[in-house]
Every structure is written in C-alpha cells, then in structure tokens.
Short mmCIF file of all heavy atoms in Angstrom, two decimals:
data_model
loop_
_atom_site.label_atom_id
_atom_site.label_comp_id
_atom_site.label_asym_id
_atom_site.label_seq_id
_atom_site.Cartn_x
_atom_site.Cartn_y
_atom_site.Cartn_z
N PHE K 1 49.75 33.30 45.61
CA PHE K 1 50.69 33.94 46.42
C PHE K 1 52.13 33.48 45.99
O PHE K 1 52.29 32.42 45.46
CB PHE K 1 50.44 33.79 47.93
CG PHE K 1 50.85 32.48 48.51
CD1 PHE K 1 51.98 32.40 49.28
CD2 PHE K 1 50.21 31.31 48.30
CE1 PHE K 1 52.40 31.29 49.91
CE2 PHE K 1 50.59 30.15 48.82
CZ PHE K 1 51.72 30.10 49.64
N PRO K 2 53.23 34.25 46.25
CA PRO K 2 54.49 33.89 45.72
C PRO K 2 55.01 32.74 46.42
O PRO K 2 54.80 32.56 47.57
CB PRO K 2 55.30 35.19 45.96
CG PRO K 2 54.64 35.94 47.06
CD PRO K 2 53.19 35.58 46.91
N SER K 3 55.87 31.98 45.66
CA SER K 3 56.50 30.80 46.26
C SER K 3 57.95 30.74 45.59
O SER K 3 58.17 31.30 44.57
CB SER K 3 55.83 29.55 46.03
OG SER K 3 55.74 29.20 44.74
N HIS K 4 58.83 30.10 46.15
CA HIS K 4 60.17 29.91 45.68
C HIS K 4 60.55 28.42 45.86
O HIS K 4 60.18 27.77 46.74
CB HIS K 4 61.15 30.73 46.51
CG HIS K 4 60.89 32.18 46.54
ND1 HIS K 4 61.39 33.04 45.58
CD2 HIS K 4 60.14 33.00 47.31
CE1 HIS K 4 61.09 34.21 45.83
NE2 HIS K 4 60.22 34.17 46.82
N ASP K 5 61.28 27.99 44.83
CA ASP K 5 61.84 26.63 44.89
C ASP K 5 63.24 26.71 45.58
O ASP K 5 64.01 27.56 45.23
CB ASP K 5 61.99 26.00 43.45
CG ASP K 5 60.66 25.64 42.82
OD1 ASP K 5 59.70 25.43 43.62
OD2 ASP K 5 60.56 25.68 41.62
N ARG K 6 63.39 25.75 46.42
CA ARG K 6 64.74 25.67 47.14
C ARG K 6 65.16 24.26 47.26
O ARG K 6 64.31 23.34 47.10
CB ARG K 6 64.64 26.27 48.49
CG ARG K 6 64.22 27.76 48.52
CD ARG K 6 63.95 28.14 50.04
NE ARG K 6 63.60 29.52 50.05
CZ ARG K 6 62.36 30.05 50.06
NH1 ARG K 6 61.42 29.05 50.01
NH2 ARG K 6 62.15 31.23 50.14
N GLY K 7 66.43 23.99 47.50
CA GLY K 7 66.87 22.64 47.65
C GLY K 7 67.20 22.38 49.07
O GLY K 7 67.96 23.05 49.72
N VAL K 8 66.59 21.41 49.63
CA VAL K 8 66.95 20.92 51.05
C VAL K 8 68.21 20.26 51.08
O VAL K 8 68.47 19.33 50.44
CB VAL K 8 65.82 20.03 51.56
CG1 VAL K 8 66.10 19.64 53.02
CG2 VAL K 8 64.44 20.65 51.55
N VAL K 9 69.18 20.76 51.89
CA VAL K 9 70.54 20.15 52.03
C VAL K 9 70.71 19.49 53.32
O VAL K 9 71.71 18.80 53.46
CB VAL K 9 71.60 21.22 51.82
CG1 VAL K 9 71.60 21.87 50.44
CG2 VAL K 9 71.60 22.38 52.82
N GLY K 10 69.83 19.59 54.27
CA GLY K 10 69.94 18.95 55.60
C GLY K 10 69.12 19.53 56.55
O GLY K 10 68.09 20.25 56.25
N GLN K 11 69.33 19.30 57.87
CA GLN K 11 68.62 19.86 58.93
C GLN K 11 69.61 20.23 60.04
O GLN K 11 70.72 19.80 60.17
CB GLN K 11 67.60 18.88 59.46
CG GLN K 11 68.21 17.71 60.17
CD GLN K 11 67.18 16.66 60.55
OE1 GLN K 11 66.04 17.04 60.87
NE2 GLN K 11 67.47 15.47 60.55
N ASP K 12 69.15 21.24 60.93
CA ASP K 12 69.94 21.54 61.92
C ASP K 12 69.73 20.69 63.26
O ASP K 12 68.80 19.83 63.16
CB ASP K 12 69.98 23.09 62.32
CG ASP K 12 68.50 23.54 62.86
OD1 ASP K 12 67.68 22.77 63.23
OD2 ASP K 12 68.35 24.83 62.71
N LYS K 13 70.20 21.05 64.38
CA LYS K 13 70.14 20.15 65.56
C LYS K 13 68.66 20.30 66.15
O LYS K 13 68.24 19.43 66.89
CB LYS K 13 71.08 20.52 66.65
CG LYS K 13 72.55 20.09 66.10
CD LYS K 13 73.53 20.49 67.25
CE LYS K 13 74.92 20.15 66.76
NZ LYS K 13 76.02 20.56 67.64
N LYS K 14 67.98 21.43 65.78
CA LYS K 14 66.62 21.60 66.21
C LYS K 14 65.63 21.16 65.18
O LYS K 14 64.37 21.41 65.29
CB LYS K 14 66.41 23.07 66.51
CG LYS K 14 67.22 23.55 67.75
CD LYS K 14 67.01 25.01 67.85
CE LYS K 14 67.88 25.56 69.06
NZ LYS K 14 67.60 26.99 69.27
N GLN K 15 66.06 20.45 64.14
CA GLN K 15 65.28 19.85 63.06
C GLN K 15 64.64 20.87 62.22
O GLN K 15 63.59 20.59 61.55
CB GLN K 15 64.27 18.89 63.58
CG GLN K 15 64.80 17.58 64.31
CD GLN K 15 63.87 16.74 64.80
OE1 GLN K 15 62.75 17.02 65.15
NE2 GLN K 15 64.24 15.39 64.75
N ASN K 16 65.20 22.10 62.14
CA ASN K 16 64.79 23.06 61.12
C ASN K 16 65.50 22.62 59.78
O ASN K 16 66.56 22.06 59.78
CB ASN K 16 65.30 24.45 61.42
CG ASN K 16 64.67 25.09 62.70
OD1 ASN K 16 63.41 25.00 62.77
ND2 ASN K 16 65.45 25.42 63.63
N LEU K 17 64.72 22.79 58.69
CA LEU K 17 65.20 22.44 57.41
C LEU K 17 66.32 23.42 56.95
O LEU K 17 66.07 24.63 57.07
CB LEU K 17 64.12 22.41 56.36
CG LEU K 17 63.01 21.39 56.51
CD1 LEU K 17 61.94 21.59 55.50
CD2 LEU K 17 63.60 19.97 56.50
N LEU K 18 67.34 23.02 56.48
CA LEU K 18 68.46 23.89 55.87
C LEU K 18 68.28 23.81 54.43
O LEU K 18 68.44 22.72 53.76
CB LEU K 18 69.85 23.38 56.33
CG LEU K 18 70.11 23.46 57.89
CD1 LEU K 18 71.42 22.83 58.26
CD2 LEU K 18 69.99 24.89 58.32
N VAL K 19 68.00 24.92 53.76
CA VAL K 19 67.77 24.92 52.40
C VAL K 19 68.67 25.91 51.64
O VAL K 19 69.00 27.02 52.14
CB VAL K 19 66.26 25.36 52.05
CG1 VAL K 19 65.27 24.34 52.72
CG2 VAL K 19 65.93 26.73 52.73
N LEU K 20 69.07 25.51 50.47
CA LEU K 20 69.79 26.38 49.57
C LEU K 20 68.91 27.05 48.67
O LEU K 20 68.02 26.56 47.94
CB LEU K 20 70.74 25.45 48.73
CG LEU K 20 71.63 26.03 47.64
CD1 LEU K 20 72.73 26.93 48.32
CD2 LEU K 20 72.26 24.92 46.81
N GLY K 21 69.10 28.36 48.63
CA GLY K 21 68.21 29.20 47.70
C GLY K 21 69.00 30.33 47.15
O GLY K 21 70.11 30.69 47.56
N GLY K 22 68.46 30.88 46.03
CA GLY K 22 69.20 32.07 45.38
C GLY K 22 68.28 33.27 45.52
O GLY K 22 67.05 33.17 45.84
N ASN K 23 68.89 34.32 45.24
CA ASN K 23 68.25 35.68 45.25
C ASN K 23 67.78 36.18 46.58
O ASN K 23 66.74 36.88 46.73
CB ASN K 23 67.12 35.71 44.16
CG ASN K 23 66.74 37.17 43.73
OD1 ASN K 23 67.63 38.02 43.83
ND2 ASN K 23 65.56 37.32 43.23
N GLN K 24 68.33 35.66 47.63
CA GLN K 24 68.04 36.14 48.95
C GLN K 24 69.21 37.07 49.21
O GLN K 24 70.27 36.70 49.38
CB GLN K 24 68.00 35.04 50.06
CG GLN K 24 66.79 34.28 49.99
CD GLN K 24 66.87 33.13 49.04
OE1 GLN K 24 67.90 32.46 48.92
NE2 GLN K 24 65.68 32.76 48.38
N GLY K 25 68.90 38.43 49.34
CA GLY K 25 69.93 39.34 49.63
C GLY K 25 70.94 39.47 48.39
O GLY K 25 72.03 39.65 48.67
N ASP K 26 70.46 39.27 47.20
CA ASP K 26 71.35 39.24 46.05
C ASP K 26 72.42 38.20 46.13
O ASP K 26 73.56 38.49 45.67
CB ASP K 26 71.87 40.60 45.71
CG ASP K 26 70.81 41.64 45.33
OD1 ASP K 26 69.79 41.15 44.63
OD2 ASP K 26 70.87 42.75 45.50
N SER K 27 72.20 37.06 46.79
CA SER K 27 73.22 36.07 46.88
C SER K 27 72.64 34.67 47.00
O SER K 27 71.37 34.51 47.18
CB SER K 27 74.04 36.31 48.13
OG SER K 27 73.33 36.22 49.25
N VAL K 28 73.44 33.66 46.76
CA VAL K 28 72.99 32.25 47.02
C VAL K 28 73.34 31.99 48.49
O VAL K 28 74.46 32.33 48.93
CB VAL K 28 73.68 31.35 46.04
CG1 VAL K 28 73.44 29.83 46.38
CG2 VAL K 28 73.38 31.69 44.62
N SER K 29 72.46 31.42 49.22
CA SER K 29 72.72 31.19 50.63
C SER K 29 72.00 29.88 51.17
O SER K 29 71.04 29.39 50.47
CB SER K 29 72.34 32.42 51.46
OG SER K 29 70.94 32.62 51.42
N ILE K 30 72.33 29.50 52.34
CA ILE K 30 71.65 28.46 53.05
C ILE K 30 70.92 29.07 54.21
O ILE K 30 71.52 29.79 55.02
CB ILE K 30 72.51 27.22 53.48
CG1 ILE K 30 73.13 26.57 52.30
CG2 ILE K 30 71.81 26.30 54.37
CD1 ILE K 30 74.16 25.49 52.64
N ALA K 31 69.63 28.85 54.37
CA ALA K 31 68.84 29.49 55.41
C ALA K 31 68.08 28.30 56.08
O ALA K 31 67.84 27.25 55.51
CB ALA K 31 67.90 30.52 54.95
N ALA K 32 67.70 28.49 57.37
CA ALA K 32 66.96 27.57 58.17
C ALA K 32 65.46 27.93 58.04
O ALA K 32 65.08 29.07 58.03
CB ALA K 32 67.35 27.48 59.61
N PHE K 33 64.69 26.87 57.95
CA PHE K 33 63.19 27.08 57.88
C PHE K 33 62.53 26.06 58.81
O PHE K 33 62.89 24.92 58.90
CB PHE K 33 62.66 26.74 56.48
CG PHE K 33 62.94 27.93 55.51
CD1 PHE K 33 64.06 28.06 54.86
CD2 PHE K 33 61.90 28.75 55.14
CE1 PHE K 33 64.27 29.08 54.06
CE2 PHE K 33 62.04 29.80 54.25
CZ PHE K 33 63.30 30.00 53.69
N VAL K 34 61.54 26.64 59.59
CA VAL K 34 60.66 25.75 60.39
C VAL K 34 59.88 24.89 59.44
O VAL K 34 59.35 25.26 58.50
CB VAL K 34 59.79 26.56 61.32
CG1 VAL K 34 59.00 25.81 62.16
CG2 VAL K 34 60.66 27.57 62.18
N PRO K 35 59.92 23.41 59.69
CA PRO K 35 59.32 22.63 58.75
C PRO K 35 57.87 22.90 58.48
O PRO K 35 57.34 22.68 57.31
CB PRO K 35 59.42 21.28 59.43
CG PRO K 35 60.57 21.38 60.28
CD PRO K 35 60.68 22.78 60.79
N ASN K 36 57.09 23.55 59.30
CA ASN K 36 55.66 23.70 59.14
C ASN K 36 55.48 24.88 58.07
O ASN K 36 54.33 25.14 57.67
CB ASN K 36 54.85 23.94 60.31
CG ASN K 36 55.21 25.21 61.15
OD1 ASN K 36 55.99 26.11 60.63
ND2 ASN K 36 54.62 25.36 62.31
N ARG K 37 56.46 25.56 57.66
CA ARG K 37 56.40 26.68 56.71
C ARG K 37 56.52 26.08 55.27
O ARG K 37 56.37 26.78 54.27
CB ARG K 37 57.50 27.75 56.86
CG ARG K 37 57.32 28.55 58.21
CD ARG K 37 58.19 29.78 58.29
NE ARG K 37 57.97 30.59 56.94
CZ ARG K 37 58.95 31.30 56.54
NH1 ARG K 37 60.18 31.32 56.99
NH2 ARG K 37 58.72 31.95 55.38
N VAL K 38 56.94 24.74 55.08
CA VAL K 38 57.05 24.18 53.76
C VAL K 38 55.63 23.85 53.24
O VAL K 38 54.94 23.20 53.94
CB VAL K 38 57.89 22.94 53.79
CG1 VAL K 38 57.94 22.28 52.58
CG2 VAL K 38 59.30 23.25 54.45
N SER K 39 55.41 24.28 52.03
CA SER K 39 54.04 23.94 51.37
C SER K 39 54.13 22.74 50.54
O SER K 39 53.07 22.23 50.25
CB SER K 39 53.60 25.18 50.62
OG SER K 39 54.60 25.45 49.52
N GLY K 40 55.31 22.16 50.15
CA GLY K 40 55.34 20.90 49.48
C GLY K 40 56.79 20.60 49.08
O GLY K 40 57.64 21.48 49.25
N TYR K 41 56.96 19.35 48.63
CA TYR K 41 58.24 18.90 48.17
C TYR K 41 58.09 18.37 46.74
O TYR K 41 57.04 17.81 46.40
CB TYR K 41 58.80 17.73 49.13
CG TYR K 41 59.00 18.15 50.54
CD1 TYR K 41 58.04 18.06 51.46
CD2 TYR K 41 60.21 18.69 50.82
CE1 TYR K 41 58.29 18.37 52.76
CE2 TYR K 41 60.60 19.03 52.09
CZ TYR K 41 59.56 18.97 53.11
OH TYR K 41 59.72 19.29 54.39
N ARG K 42 59.07 18.53 45.98
CA ARG K 42 59.06 18.08 44.59
C ARG K 42 60.25 17.17 44.32
O ARG K 42 61.40 17.38 44.76
CB ARG K 42 59.10 19.30 43.59
CG ARG K 42 58.05 20.16 43.67
CD ARG K 42 58.19 21.28 42.61
NE ARG K 42 57.18 22.32 42.76
CZ ARG K 42 56.92 23.24 41.99
NH1 ARG K 42 57.75 23.38 40.87
NH2 ARG K 42 56.00 24.12 42.21
N PHE K 43 59.93 16.20 43.51
CA PHE K 43 61.08 15.33 43.11
C PHE K 43 60.96 15.07 41.57
O PHE K 43 59.94 15.24 41.04
CB PHE K 43 60.95 13.85 43.78
CG PHE K 43 61.19 13.84 45.22
CD1 PHE K 43 60.17 14.19 46.18
CD2 PHE K 43 62.41 13.47 45.62
CE1 PHE K 43 60.62 14.15 47.55
CE2 PHE K 43 62.75 13.40 46.93
CZ PHE K 43 61.79 13.83 47.89
N PRO K 44 62.05 14.86 40.93
CA PRO K 44 62.07 14.62 39.43
C PRO K 44 61.10 13.53 39.18
O PRO K 44 61.01 12.56 40.00
CB PRO K 44 63.45 14.29 39.08
CG PRO K 44 64.28 14.93 40.19
CD PRO K 44 63.41 14.79 41.45
N PRO K 45 60.36 13.58 37.96
CA PRO K 45 59.32 12.53 37.75
C PRO K 45 59.86 11.10 37.65
O PRO K 45 59.11 10.15 37.99
CB PRO K 45 58.75 12.99 36.48
CG PRO K 45 59.63 13.99 35.90
CD PRO K 45 60.46 14.54 37.00
N ASN K 46 61.12 10.98 37.28
CA ASN K 46 61.54 9.57 37.12
C ASN K 46 62.43 9.05 38.27
O ASN K 46 63.15 8.14 38.17
CB ASN K 46 62.47 9.50 35.85
CG ASN K 46 61.53 9.68 34.54
OD1 ASN K 46 60.40 9.42 34.53
ND2 ASN K 46 62.12 10.33 33.60
N VAL K 47 62.35 9.86 39.46
CA VAL K 47 63.14 9.32 40.60
C VAL K 47 62.23 8.80 41.64
O VAL K 47 61.18 9.43 42.00
CB VAL K 47 63.83 10.64 41.14
CG1 VAL K 47 64.53 10.35 42.48
CG2 VAL K 47 64.91 11.19 40.12
N ALA K 48 62.49 7.61 42.19
CA ALA K 48 61.73 7.08 43.22
C ALA K 48 61.79 7.94 44.52
O ALA K 48 62.95 8.49 44.83
CB ALA K 48 62.18 5.62 43.49
N LEU K 49 60.71 8.10 45.21
CA LEU K 49 60.59 8.84 46.38
C LEU K 49 61.50 8.02 47.46
O LEU K 49 61.44 6.76 47.54
CB LEU K 49 59.21 8.96 46.94
CG LEU K 49 58.32 9.81 46.05
CD1 LEU K 49 56.90 9.82 46.64
CD2 LEU K 49 58.84 11.14 45.92
N PRO K 50 62.17 8.81 48.29
CA PRO K 50 63.04 8.01 49.28
C PRO K 50 62.13 7.51 50.38
O PRO K 50 61.13 8.04 50.76
CB PRO K 50 63.92 9.24 49.86
CG PRO K 50 63.20 10.47 49.50
CD PRO K 50 62.38 10.19 48.21
N ILE K 51 62.59 6.34 50.86
CA ILE K 51 61.84 5.69 51.89
C ILE K 51 62.73 5.72 53.24
O ILE K 51 63.96 5.28 53.12
CB ILE K 51 61.51 4.26 51.58
CG1 ILE K 51 60.55 4.27 50.34
CG2 ILE K 51 60.78 3.49 52.79
CD1 ILE K 51 60.29 2.87 49.84
N ASP K 52 62.25 6.13 54.29
CA ASP K 52 62.98 6.13 55.67
C ASP K 52 64.32 6.99 55.48
O ASP K 52 65.37 6.64 56.01
CB ASP K 52 63.26 4.84 56.09
CG ASP K 52 61.96 4.09 56.51
OD1 ASP K 52 61.04 4.74 56.87
OD2 ASP K 52 61.89 2.87 56.37
N TYR K 53 64.32 8.01 54.68
CA TYR K 53 65.59 8.85 54.47
C TYR K 53 65.69 9.85 55.62
O TYR K 53 64.73 10.47 55.95
CB TYR K 53 65.54 9.57 53.16
CG TYR K 53 66.78 10.42 52.90
CD1 TYR K 53 67.93 9.83 52.52
CD2 TYR K 53 66.62 11.81 53.05
CE1 TYR K 53 69.06 10.64 52.38
CE2 TYR K 53 67.78 12.63 52.88
CZ TYR K 53 69.01 12.04 52.53
OH TYR K 53 70.11 12.79 52.38
N GLN K 54 66.84 9.88 56.24
CA GLN K 54 67.14 10.83 57.28
C GLN K 54 68.05 11.94 56.71
O GLN K 54 69.09 11.66 56.19
CB GLN K 54 67.81 10.07 58.40
CG GLN K 54 67.01 9.02 59.09
CD GLN K 54 65.77 9.55 59.75
OE1 GLN K 54 65.81 10.57 60.44
NE2 GLN K 54 64.62 8.96 59.56
N LEU K 55 67.59 13.09 56.85
CA LEU K 55 68.39 14.25 56.44
C LEU K 55 69.63 14.41 57.30
O LEU K 55 69.62 14.02 58.51
CB LEU K 55 67.72 15.58 56.58
CG LEU K 55 66.47 15.85 55.54
CD1 LEU K 55 65.77 17.07 56.01
CD2 LEU K 55 67.03 16.06 54.16
N PRO K 56 70.87 14.68 56.66
CA PRO K 56 71.98 14.91 57.55
C PRO K 56 71.81 16.15 58.42
O PRO K 56 71.16 17.04 58.06
CB PRO K 56 73.10 15.14 56.46
CG PRO K 56 72.44 15.62 55.29
CD PRO K 56 71.07 15.02 55.24
N VAL K 57 72.41 15.88 59.69
CA VAL K 57 72.42 17.11 60.59
C VAL K 57 73.67 17.89 60.38
O VAL K 57 74.77 17.38 60.47
CB VAL K 57 72.29 16.63 62.09
CG1 VAL K 57 72.41 17.75 62.99
CG2 VAL K 57 70.97 15.79 62.31
N LEU K 58 73.47 19.22 59.99
CA LEU K 58 74.53 20.06 59.70
C LEU K 58 74.65 21.15 60.81
O LEU K 58 73.71 21.69 61.19
CB LEU K 58 74.38 20.69 58.33
CG LEU K 58 74.29 19.65 57.15
CD1 LEU K 58 73.78 20.35 55.98
CD2 LEU K 58 75.43 18.83 56.99
N ASP K 59 75.90 21.51 61.16
CA ASP K 59 76.22 22.54 62.13
C ASP K 59 76.58 23.83 61.33
O ASP K 59 77.80 24.16 61.21
CB ASP K 59 77.20 22.15 63.12
CG ASP K 59 77.44 23.11 64.26
OD1 ASP K 59 76.53 23.93 64.50
OD2 ASP K 59 78.43 22.99 64.91
N LEU K 60 75.65 24.54 60.82
CA LEU K 60 75.89 25.74 59.95
C LEU K 60 75.54 27.01 60.68
O LEU K 60 75.91 28.15 60.10
CB LEU K 60 75.18 25.61 58.64
CG LEU K 60 75.46 24.44 57.78
CD1 LEU K 60 74.72 24.51 56.45
CD2 LEU K 60 76.98 24.36 57.42
N ASN K 61 74.87 26.97 61.75
CA ASN K 61 74.42 28.22 62.47
C ASN K 61 73.60 29.12 61.47
O ASN K 61 73.76 30.36 61.38
CB ASN K 61 75.59 29.08 63.02
CG ASN K 61 76.28 28.31 64.10
OD1 ASN K 61 75.59 27.58 64.87
ND2 ASN K 61 77.56 28.32 64.09
N ALA K 62 72.83 28.57 60.59
CA ALA K 62 72.02 29.33 59.67
C ALA K 62 70.88 30.05 60.38
O ALA K 62 70.31 29.57 61.28
CB ALA K 62 71.40 28.37 58.61
N LYS K 63 70.66 31.26 60.02
CA LYS K 63 69.63 32.16 60.50
C LYS K 63 68.28 31.58 60.06
O LYS K 63 68.03 31.24 58.98
CB LYS K 63 69.87 33.57 60.01
CG LYS K 63 68.82 34.51 60.52
CD LYS K 63 69.11 35.89 60.00
CE LYS K 63 67.99 36.88 60.50
NZ LYS K 63 68.18 38.20 59.94
N ILE K 64 67.35 31.65 60.97
CA ILE K 64 65.88 31.17 60.75
C ILE K 64 65.36 32.21 59.78
O ILE K 64 65.34 33.42 60.15
CB ILE K 64 65.09 31.03 61.96
CG1 ILE K 64 65.67 29.94 62.90
CG2 ILE K 64 63.60 30.76 61.62
CD1 ILE K 64 65.46 28.54 62.41
N SER K 65 64.83 31.78 58.61
CA SER K 65 64.13 32.77 57.74
C SER K 65 62.69 33.04 58.28
O SER K 65 61.95 32.16 58.73
CB SER K 65 64.00 32.10 56.35
OG SER K 65 63.24 32.92 55.49
N THR K 66 62.34 34.29 58.29
CA THR K 66 61.06 34.65 58.74
C THR K 66 60.11 35.36 57.66
O THR K 66 59.00 35.79 57.96
CB THR K 66 61.21 35.76 59.83
OG1 THR K 66 61.92 36.97 59.38
CG2 THR K 66 61.97 35.15 61.09
N ASN K 67 60.67 35.35 56.41
CA ASN K 67 59.74 35.71 55.36
C ASN K 67 59.78 34.73 54.25
O ASN K 67 60.38 33.63 54.42
CB ASN K 67 60.32 37.16 54.85
CG ASN K 67 61.63 37.02 54.29
OD1 ASN K 67 62.13 36.08 53.69
ND2 ASN K 67 62.42 38.11 54.50
N GLY K 68 59.04 35.09 53.17
CA GLY K 68 58.86 34.10 52.05
C GLY K 68 60.01 34.06 51.12
O GLY K 68 60.14 33.18 50.28
N ALA K 69 60.97 34.98 51.31
CA ALA K 69 62.05 34.92 50.30
C ALA K 69 63.20 34.03 50.75
O ALA K 69 63.32 33.55 51.79
CB ALA K 69 62.66 36.36 50.17
#
C-alpha cells in the first residue's frame, strides 16, 4: 500500500505530530497527524537514535490529515 516519507518538525498542544511533506495539494506544507497513524520512523544510518528527546510544541493550527497523502 502507498506510503510517504515526511519530516517530523514538532507536535501540537494535543500531541499530534506536525509533519513537513510535499505534494499535498501541489504544495509543501505542514500537517498534523494522530500518532497512531505513523507506521514507522527512519533515521540516517550513521546517526545515533535520540534518547529522551522531546518534540517542540508548535502553535501552527495545522489541519489534521485524514488521508494517506
């Protein structure tokens, strides 16, 4: 099934992930995603995984994404 790579830039006050993605509505945008919709996280192979990292809380009023795009 289709998947898209996105970059997590933070979280909102409700702990939804704020992700930067391209090709949504023919533009680059930040959208909110409910965390249980994430199928996995990727890190570059030579980068140590973060320990106890807290995502910044951003006040962007991003719309919750309801589809896979």
